[in-house]
Amino acid sequence: MGDALNVERDAILAALKPVVDGIAATFGPVCDVVLHDYRNPKHSVVAVAGAVTGRTVGGAMSEIGMRVLAGGDEASDELNYVTRTRDGTLVKSSTMVLRDSTGAVFGALCVNVDVGAVTQVHDLLGALAGVGAAAHAELPTTTFGNDIDSVVDALVEAHRSRQRGSWAELDRAERVELFGGLDTRGVFAVRGAVEQVAARLGISRASAYNYLSRARAAHDTSSGGSA
């Protein structure tokens, strides 16, 4: 059954590769389209057209992909969300999960549109009309990268920075909160991520697993589940 499902998944991905090129050609240079196979998270990109997020075939999933992977078969499409890339590009994205005939999630088709130019025109017209420019400072920053290690590192640094202190300066509750935040973002759905986070923070693997366990227990308690 497993071999048959993999053949089916391969066929779905093959059928979607021309779609990737077609969508990108339709929207032009402000768009990129990325096809992911989550059976290989560290090299999930199997097709890409366009250059908005700088992805290449053989590259890793982004933090959005981590979140989908963490959701498992309960993951749902995320449509028309606006975010920023780490270089400040304003991007509107849609991530559509791919399922096989059993309903299992195994990949995603992602469309990313650079809306920065449109926003600049909108703000200019607003200024000419005497209306204040739209504020985008509150938009989240999303890490798109071809190396899964760089994506994990960026997420760890972002969470640590928000707590305004080094690991040594955080109290136990803040450390648990950091691991809980990373878990929510899907970081630990990637094999080997616990070890990488531990190395990034300068702590032992055992300590990292301990804080992750505490974070999950706290989440289960707050959501009414059992620890």
Side-chain angles (χ1 to χ4, degrees):
M1 182 65 174
D3 289 342
L5 283 177
N6 280 326
V7 169
E8 177 190 342
R9 293 166 179 172
D10 289 341
I12 293 171
L13 291 170
L16 285 172
K17 287 182 179 180
V19 176
V20 168
D21 292 324
I23 294 174
T26 299
F27 285 93
V30 299
C31 173
D32 77 11
V33 185
V34 186
L35 183 63
H36 290 276
D37 181 353
Y38 289 156
R39 291 173 294 180
N40 187 5
K42 293 188 176 182
H43 303 284
S44 68
V45 179
V46 294
V48 60
V52 173
T53 57
R55 320 308 298 285
T56 59
V57 172
M61 64 173 60
S62 69
E63 63 179 270
I64 298 167
M66 290 181 183
R67 191 162 63 241
V68 173
L69 190 64
D73 295 341
E74 302 303 315
S76 58
D77 297 343
E78 297 189 26
L79 306 177
N80 287 326
Y81 54 90
V82 180
T83 185
R84 289 183 185 275
T85 64
R86 291 182 65 81
D87 67 2
T89 302
L90 198 65
V91 178
K92 183 173 76 169
S93 301
S94 288
T95 298
M96 294 148 282
V97 299
L98 304 179
R99 300 177 187 274
D100 60 29
S101 58
T102 70
V105 172
F106 70 92
L109 177 66
C110 303
V111 180
N112 306 294
V113 178
D114 180 353
V115 294
V118 176
T119 301
Q120 290 174 358
V121 172
H122 176 273
D123 291 345
L124 175 60
L125 291 175
L128 290 172
V131 180
H136 299 292
E138 73 279 4
L139 290 174
T141 298
T142 298
T143 303
F144 297 96
N146 288 306
D147 176 2
I148 198 71
D149 292 345
S150 67
V151 176
V152 172
D153 279 351
L155 284 169
V156 172
E157 181 59 26
H159 277 272
R160 192 199 60 75
S161 296
R162 280 198 292 272
Q163 291 173 310
R164 302 180 186 277
S166 67
W167 175 260
E169 295 171 316
L170 302 181
D171 61 28
R172 177 168 301 208
E174 290 171 328
R175 293 177 177 184
V176 170
E177 181 183 353
L178 186 152
F179 272 83
L182 293 175
D183 199 26
T184 299
R185 301 293 284 272
V187 168
F188 299 114
V190 179
R191 180 174 298 178
V194 173
E195 290 82 355
Q196 184 181 339
V197 170
R200 182 70 177 76
L201 295 174
I203 62 177
S204 70
R205 188 177 78 161
S207 292
Y209 275 108
N210 179 52
Y211 282 111
L212 177 58
S213 177
R214 289 176 181 273
R216 287 177 172 173
H219 177 269
D220 289 342
T221 299
S222 64
S223 62
S226 57

